[in-house]
Amino acid sequence: MDNEKKSMIKDALILFAITLAAGLLLGFVYDVTKEPIAEQKAKAKAEACKNVFAEAESFEALAGEDGPTSYFMAAGDADLNMDIDEVMRALDGSGQLLGYVITVTDHEGYGGDIQFSMGVTLDGTLNGISLLSISETAGLGMKAGDVLVPQFENKQVESFTYTKSGSTNDSEIDAISGATITTRAIVNGVNGGLQFFHAVLSESEAGGGIDE
């Protein structure tokens, strides 16, 4: 075997060793970080639930056989560009149902998906929303937490619209200046969540709807 072949085999073995070591290292890092990441996500979800349903003592997941979105698509507006990711039942200290926390992802954001949780009481009152994930333009769409979120608190309406000239009633949301796309995405997402509540969750209280 000449020197060139020996060199090629040596290089291949070195590359294999590096690849193997990198794979093992990545696996180790994943194992080490998997649990803390899962714990952090669970903590963020619990905080979001409390943010939008402070009076609840506990929360439990609720989902249909094929997941909540399938029920929404059957009973709601399939044209809305959003998903119902999760539904949590909000319970008082004695286990009585107070309402729901609905996690929504709207796909219309300027910078990508916008995910938030929204708390809705049994009479259809929106306690408020809590942003979970947003990547909009700094100084514009990223103002959603300060400008938009407070406007949804304690509103009992069928749906919301947004305006650039100042809201005149509970169903109107003042748009973020220079960030109409972000405003529209969040308003549409909230409307989808409310539609899901009225079309599916309210029906489940009457004996139909989602199976637990």
Side-chain angles (χ1 to χ4, degrees), residues 5 16 27 67 82 84 92 97 100-101 104 125 129 162 182 202:
K5 288 184 177 179
F16 172 77
M82 46 81 71
I84 303 294
D92 65 14
L97 182 65
Y100 299 92
V101 176
V104 173
T125 299
I129 71 172
Y162 64 90
T182 303
S202 291

Side-chain angles (χ1 to χ4, degrees), residues 51 114-116 128-137 139-153 173-176 179 182-183 186:
N51 284 342
I114 300 175
Q115 186 182 55
F116 58 88
I129 71 172
S130 179
L131 295 175
L132 296 173
S133 177
I134 183 170
S135 301
E136 301 298 89
T137 306
L140 294 173
M142 289 303 288
K143 291 181 178 179
D146 296 325
V147 177
L148 297 181
V149 169
Q151 297 186 64
F152 290 103
E153 293 178 1
I173 299 297
D174 285 325
I176 303 171
T182 303
T183 302
I186 293 178

Side-chain angles (χ1 to χ4, degrees), residues 92-165:
D92 65 14
S94 61
Q96 293 299 306
L97 182 65
L98 298 175
Y100 299 92
V101 176
I102 305 167
T103 301
V104 173
T105 296
D106 190 277
H107 305 297
E108 303 169 306
Y110 185 81
D113 291 349
I114 300 175
Q115 186 182 55
F116 58 88
S117 291
M118 52 190 288
V120 186
T121 64
L122 294 180
D123 68 356
T125 299
L126 177 62
N127 288 337
I129 71 172
S130 179
L131 295 175
L132 296 173
S133 177
I134 183 170
S135 301
E136 301 298 89
T137 306
L140 294 173
M142 289 303 288
K143 291 181 178 179
D146 296 325
V147 177
L148 297 181
V149 169
Q151 297 186 64
F152 290 103
E153 293 178 1
N154 301 315
K155 300 291 181 66
Q156 189 177 26
V157 300
E158 289 293 322
S159 64
F160 292 92
T161 58
Y162 64 90
T163 177
K164 299 179 182 180
S165 57

Side-chain angles (χ1 to χ4, degrees), residues 12 30 44 66 76 84-85 87 96 99 135 173 182 187 190 199 209:
Y30 172 75
D66 299 316
I84 303 294
D85 301 319
V87 179
Q96 293 299 306
S135 301
I173 299 297
T182 303
V187 168
V190 171

Side-chain angles (χ1 to χ4, degrees), residues 49-107:
C49 287
K50 289 299 290 185
N51 284 342
V52 298
F53 230 117
E55 61 269 39
E57 291 295 326
S58 62
F59 303 90
E60 62 180 31
L62 177 69
E65 182 179 349
D66 299 316
T69 294
S70 63
Y71 287 93
F72 175 72
M73 297 301 283
D77 185 351
D79 293 329
L80 288 174
N81 191 13
M82 46 81 71
D83 293 312
I84 303 294
D85 301 319
E86 186 177 39
V87 179
M88 304 287 288
R89 300 173 81 240
L91 309 174
D92 65 14
S94 61
Q96 293 299 306
L97 182 65
L98 298 175
Y100 299 92
V101 176
I102 305 167
T103 301
V104 173
T105 296
D106 190 277
H107 305 297

Side-chain angles (χ1 to χ4, degrees), residues 172-196:
E172 289 186 337
I173 299 297
D174 285 325
I176 303 171
S177 179
T180 303
I181 293 176
T182 303
T183 302
R184 181 174 63 243
I186 293 178
V187 168
N188 284 348
V190 171
N191 285 342
L194 288 175
Q195 187 172 331
F196 176 76

